[in-house]
PDB file of all heavy atoms in Angstrom:
ATOM      1  N   ASP A  70     117.418 -53.618 209.875  1.00 89.00           N
ATOM      2  CA  ASP A  70     118.619 -52.784 209.850  1.00 89.00           C
ATOM      3  C   ASP A  70     118.265 -51.302 209.830  1.00 89.00           C
ATOM      4  O   ASP A  70     119.135 -50.453 210.001  1.00 89.00           O
ATOM      5  CB  ASP A  70     119.473 -53.107 208.617  1.00 89.00           C
ATOM      6  CG  ASP A  70     120.196 -54.433 208.757  1.00 89.00           C
ATOM      7  OD1 ASP A  70     120.479 -54.833 209.895  1.00 89.00           O
ATOM      8  OD2 ASP A  70     120.478 -55.066 207.717  1.00 89.00           O
ATOM      9  N   LYS A  71     117.001 -50.983 209.605  1.00 94.00           N
ATOM     10  CA  LYS A  71     116.574 -49.584 209.543  1.00 94.00           C
ATOM     11  C   LYS A  71     116.602 -48.989 210.956  1.00 94.00           C
ATOM     12  O   LYS A  71     115.966 -49.507 211.872  1.00 94.00           O
ATOM     13  CB  LYS A  71     115.170 -49.464 208.965  1.00 94.00           C
ATOM     14  CG  LYS A  71     115.026 -49.998 207.562  1.00 94.00           C
ATOM     15  CD  LYS A  71     113.660 -49.720 206.960  1.00 94.00           C
ATOM     16  CE  LYS A  71     112.538 -50.254 207.810  1.00 94.00           C
ATOM     17  NZ  LYS A  71     111.220 -50.047 207.199  1.00 94.00           N
ATOM     18  N   THR A  72     117.354 -47.921 211.102  1.00 95.00           N
ATOM     19  CA  THR A  72     117.497 -47.288 212.417  1.00 95.00           C
ATOM     20  C   THR A  72     117.475 -45.782 212.257  1.00 95.00           C
ATOM     21  O   THR A  72     118.063 -45.238 211.320  1.00 95.00           O
ATOM     22  CB  THR A  72     118.823 -47.704 213.088  1.00 95.00           C
ATOM     23  OG1 THR A  72     118.860 -49.135 213.168  1.00 95.00           O
ATOM     24  CG2 THR A  72     118.963 -47.115 214.476  1.00 95.00           C
ATOM     25  N   VAL A  73     116.797 -45.109 213.154  1.00 95.00           N
ATOM     26  CA  VAL A  73     116.767 -43.654 213.180  1.00 95.00           C
ATOM     27  C   VAL A  73     117.273 -43.188 214.545  1.00 95.00           C
ATOM     28  O   VAL A  73     117.019 -43.837 215.560  1.00 95.00           O
ATOM     29  CB  VAL A  73     115.349 -43.109 212.874  1.00 95.00           C
ATOM     30  CG1 VAL A  73     114.363 -43.504 213.946  1.00 95.00           C
ATOM     31  CG2 VAL A  73     115.357 -41.607 212.689  1.00 95.00           C
ATOM     32  N   ILE A  74     118.042 -42.096 214.535  1.00 94.00           N
ATOM     33  CA  ILE A  74     118.556 -41.508 215.777  1.00 94.00           C
ATOM     34  C   ILE A  74     117.804 -40.207 216.021  1.00 94.00           C
ATOM     35  O   ILE A  74     117.724 -39.356 215.143  1.00 94.00           O
ATOM     36  CB  ILE A  74     120.069 -41.243 215.684  1.00 94.00           C
ATOM     37  CG1 ILE A  74     120.820 -42.569 215.519  1.00 94.00           C
ATOM     38  CG2 ILE A  74     120.557 -40.492 216.920  1.00 94.00           C
ATOM     39  CD1 ILE A  74     122.303 -42.410 215.316  1.00 94.00           C
ATOM     40  N   LEU A  75     117.250 -40.084 217.217  1.00 92.00           N
ATOM     41  CA  LEU A  75     116.508 -38.889 217.590  1.00 92.00           C
ATOM     42  C   LEU A  75     117.223 -38.187 218.731  1.00 92.00           C
ATOM     43  O   LEU A  75     117.657 -38.819 219.686  1.00 92.00           O
ATOM     44  CB  LEU A  75     115.092 -39.263 218.044  1.00 92.00           C
ATOM     45  CG  LEU A  75     114.242 -40.054 217.052  1.00 92.00           C
ATOM     46  CD1 LEU A  75     112.939 -40.490 217.707  1.00 92.00           C
ATOM     47  CD2 LEU A  75     113.969 -39.246 215.805  1.00 92.00           C
ATOM     48  N   THR A  76     117.327 -36.891 218.615  1.00 88.00           N
ATOM     49  CA  THR A  76     117.817 -36.080 219.726  1.00 88.00           C
ATOM     50  C   THR A  76     116.813 -34.965 219.947  1.00 88.00           C
ATOM     51  O   THR A  76     115.814 -34.871 219.245  1.00 88.00           O
ATOM     52  CB  THR A  76     119.246 -35.570 219.479  1.00 88.00           C
ATOM     53  OG1 THR A  76     119.751 -35.020 220.694  1.00 88.00           O
ATOM     54  CG2 THR A  76     119.318 -34.554 218.367  1.00 88.00           C
ATOM     55  N   HIS A  77     117.042 -34.132 220.886  1.00 81.00           N
ATOM     56  CA  HIS A  77     116.050 -33.158 221.325  1.00 81.00           C
ATOM     57  C   HIS A  77     116.535 -31.745 221.071  1.00 81.00           C
ATOM     58  O   HIS A  77     117.672 -31.517 220.676  1.00 81.00           O
ATOM     59  CB  HIS A  77     115.807 -33.352 222.816  1.00 81.00           C
ATOM     60  CG  HIS A  77     117.100 -33.371 223.580  1.00 81.00           C
ATOM     61  ND1 HIS A  77     117.762 -32.235 223.940  1.00 81.00           N
ATOM     62  CD2 HIS A  77     117.874 -34.405 223.976  1.00 81.00           C
ATOM     63  CE1 HIS A  77     118.883 -32.568 224.551  1.00 81.00           C
ATOM     64  NE2 HIS A  77     118.979 -33.886 224.592  1.00 81.00           N
ATOM     65  N   ALA A  78     115.668 -30.800 221.344  1.00 69.00           N
ATOM     66  CA  ALA A  78     116.033 -29.395 221.237  1.00 69.00           C
ATOM     67  C   ALA A  78     116.679 -28.940 222.555  1.00 69.00           C
ATOM     68  O   ALA A  78     116.704 -29.680 223.532  1.00 69.00           O
ATOM     69  CB  ALA A  78     114.788 -28.560 220.947  1.00 69.00           C
ATOM     70  N   TRP A  79     117.168 -27.721 222.563  1.00 67.00           N
ATOM     71  CA  TRP A  79     117.795 -27.183 223.767  1.00 67.00           C
ATOM     72  C   TRP A  79     116.812 -27.216 224.928  1.00 67.00           C
ATOM     73  O   TRP A  79     115.633 -26.941 224.768  1.00 67.00           O
ATOM     74  CB  TRP A  79     118.252 -25.741 223.524  1.00 67.00           C
ATOM     75  CG  TRP A  79     119.646 -25.654 223.034  1.00 67.00           C
ATOM     76  CD1 TRP A  79     120.774 -25.510 223.794  1.00 67.00           C
ATOM     77  CD2 TRP A  79     120.100 -25.718 221.679  1.00 67.00           C
ATOM     78  NE1 TRP A  79     121.883 -25.481 223.011  1.00 67.00           N
ATOM     79  CE2 TRP A  79     121.505 -25.598 221.702  1.00 67.00           C
ATOM     80  CE3 TRP A  79     119.471 -25.864 220.456  1.00 67.00           C
ATOM     81  CZ2 TRP A  79     122.276 -25.622 220.558  1.00 67.00           C
ATOM     82  CZ3 TRP A  79     120.239 -25.880 219.311  1.00 67.00           C
ATOM     83  CH2 TRP A  79     121.624 -25.761 219.373  1.00 67.00           C
ATOM     84  N   GLY A  80     117.325 -27.543 226.108  1.00 65.00           N
ATOM     85  CA  GLY A  80     116.514 -27.539 227.314  1.00 65.00           C
ATOM     86  C   GLY A  80     115.634 -28.761 227.468  1.00 65.00           C
ATOM     87  O   GLY A  80     114.800 -28.805 228.351  1.00 65.00           O
ATOM     88  N   ARG A  81     115.798 -29.756 226.644  1.00 78.00           N
ATOM     89  CA  ARG A  81     114.957 -30.951 226.692  1.00 78.00           C
ATOM     90  C   ARG A  81     115.817 -32.169 226.999  1.00 78.00           C
ATOM     91  O   ARG A  81     116.989 -32.071 227.300  1.00 78.00           O
ATOM     92  CB  ARG A  81     114.211 -31.145 225.367  1.00 78.00           C
ATOM     93  CG  ARG A  81     113.359 -29.965 224.986  1.00 78.00           C
ATOM     94  CD  ARG A  81     112.217 -29.801 225.947  1.00 78.00           C
ATOM     95  NE  ARG A  81     111.389 -28.669 225.531  1.00 78.00           N
ATOM     96  CZ  ARG A  81     110.758 -27.911 226.378  1.00 78.00           C
ATOM     97  NH1 ARG A  81     110.874 -28.092 227.658  1.00 78.00           N
ATOM     98  NH2 ARG A  81     109.998 -26.940 225.951  1.00 78.00           N
TER      99      ARG A  81
END
Side-chain angles (χ1 to χ4, degrees):
D70 286 332
K71 300 187 304 183
T72 304
V73 65
I74 296 176
L75 304 173
T76 191
H77 51 81
W79 269 268
R81 303 293 181 212

